[in-house]
Amino acid sequence: QVQVVESGGGLVQPGGSLRLSCAASGILFNIYTMAWYRQPPGKPRELVAAISSGGSTNYADSVKGRFTISRDNARRTVYLQMNSLKSEDTAAYYCNANVFTTTRRGDYWGQGTQVTVSS
């Protein structure tokens, strides 16, 4: 069984920073793309940033230059460094891992971590 667990959310003032972490565990043969999504209140879930197993990255236009995604393959962990936070970054942030297990390759989601940007 695969588990994906996020941490690091919280309340921060505009202009501040937060670092999210997400670790995948279980019987995994390979982890391909890892990504962060977010879902603001009353809106659909959207891609924030993604990183391939080789380190290639892509970002939503709204976070380019402010957010940085990185990963530690040995630790099966992906990070999201968020700087210059704005009120519109307020959302539940979800980690996604595309994983190959003993029986299938598929997407696994974490339970989400809340990020609130407010003064």
Coordinates of all heavy atoms in Angstrom, one line a residue, residues 1-2 26-30 99-106 108:
Q1 N 0.8 -1.2 0.0 CA 0.0 0.0 0.0 C 0.9 1.2 0.0 O 1.9 1.3 0.7 CB -0.9 0.0 1.2 CG -1.9 1.1 1.2 CD -2.9 1.0 2.4 OE1 -2.8 0.0 3.2 NE2 -3.7 2.0 2.6
V2 N 0.5 2.2 -0.8 CA 1.2 3.5 -0.9 C 0.6 4.6 -0.1 O -0.6 4.7 -0.1 CB 1.3 3.9 -2.4 CG1 2.0 5.2 -2.5 CG2 2.0 2.8 -3.2
G26 N 5.8 3.0 1.4 CA 5.1 1.8 1.0 C 6.0 1.0 0.0 O 7.2 1.3 -0.1
I27 N 5.4 0.0 -0.6 CA 6.1 -0.8 -1.5 C 6.1 -0.2 -2.9 O 5.1 -0.3 -3.6 CB 5.5 -2.2 -1.5 CG1 5.6 -2.9 -0.1 CG2 6.3 -3.1 -2.5 CD1 4.9 -4.2 -0.1
L28 N 7.2 0.5 -3.2 CA 7.3 1.3 -4.4 C 8.5 0.8 -5.2 O 9.6 0.7 -4.7 CB 7.5 2.8 -4.1 CG 6.5 3.4 -3.1 CD1 7.0 4.8 -2.8 CD2 5.1 3.4 -3.6
F29 N 8.3 0.6 -6.5 CA 9.4 0.3 -7.3 C 10.0 1.5 -8.0 O 11.2 1.5 -8.3 CB 9.0 -0.8 -8.4 CG 8.9 -2.2 -7.8 CD1 7.6 -2.7 -7.7 CD2 9.9 -2.9 -7.3 CE1 7.4 -4.0 -7.2 CE2 9.8 -4.1 -6.7 CZ 8.5 -4.7 -6.7
N30 N 9.2 2.5 -8.2 CA 9.6 3.7 -8.9 C 8.6 4.8 -8.6 O 7.4 4.5 -8.6 CB 9.8 3.5 -10.4 CG 10.8 4.5 -10.9 OD1 11.4 5.3 -10.2 ND2 11.1 4.4 -12.2
V99 N 3.3 6.6 -9.3 CA 4.1 5.6 -8.7 C 3.9 4.3 -9.4 O 2.8 3.9 -9.8 CB 3.7 5.5 -7.2 CG1 4.4 4.2 -6.6 CG2 4.1 6.7 -6.4
F100 N 5.0 3.5 -9.5 CA 4.9 2.1 -9.9 C 5.0 1.2 -8.7 O 6.1 1.2 -8.1 CB 5.9 1.8 -11.0 CG 5.9 0.4 -11.6 CD1 4.7 0.0 -12.2 CD2 6.9 -0.4 -11.4 CE1 4.7 -1.3 -12.7 CE2 6.9 -1.7 -12.0 CZ 5.8 -2.1 -12.6
T101 N 4.0 0.4 -8.5 CA 4.0 -0.6 -7.3 C 4.2 -2.0 -7.9 O 4.5 -2.2 -9.0 CB 2.8 -0.4 -6.5 OG1 1.6 -0.9 -7.2 CG2 2.5 1.0 -6.1
T102 N 3.8 -2.9 -7.0 CA 4.0 -4.3 -7.5 C 2.9 -4.7 -8.5 O 3.1 -5.7 -9.3 CB 3.8 -5.3 -6.3 OG1 2.6 -5.0 -5.6 CG2 5.0 -5.1 -5.3
T103 N 1.8 -4.0 -8.5 CA 0.7 -4.4 -9.4 C 0.3 -3.3 -10.4 O -0.4 -3.7 -11.4 CB -0.6 -4.7 -8.5 OG1 -0.9 -3.5 -7.8 CG2 -0.3 -5.9 -7.6
R104 N 0.6 -2.1 -10.2 CA 0.1 -1.1 -11.1 C 1.0 0.2 -11.1 O 1.7 0.4 -10.1 CB -1.3 -0.7 -10.8 CG -1.5 -0.1 -9.4 CD -2.9 0.2 -9.0 NE -3.5 1.3 -9.8 CZ -3.5 2.6 -9.3 NH1 -3.0 2.8 -8.1 NH2 -4.0 3.5 -10.0
R105 N 0.8 1.0 -12.1 CA 1.3 2.4 -12.1 C 0.1 3.3 -12.0 O -0.8 3.2 -12.8 CB 2.1 2.7 -13.3 CG 2.6 4.1 -13.4 CD 3.5 4.4 -14.5 NE 3.9 5.8 -14.6 CZ 4.8 6.3 -15.5 NH1 5.4 5.5 -16.4 NH2 5.0 7.6 -15.5
G106 N 0.1 4.2 -11.0 CA -1.0 5.1 -10.9 C -0.7 6.3 -10.0 O 0.5 6.5 -9.5
Y108 N -1.2 8.7 -6.8 CA -1.6 8.6 -5.4 C -1.6 10.0 -4.8 O -0.7 10.8 -5.1 CB -0.6 7.7 -4.6 CG -0.8 6.3 -5.0 CD1 -0.1 5.8 -6.1 CD2 -1.6 5.4 -4.2 CE1 -0.2 4.5 -6.4 CE2 -1.7 4.1 -4.6 CZ -1.0 3.6 -5.7 OH -1.1 2.3 -6.1

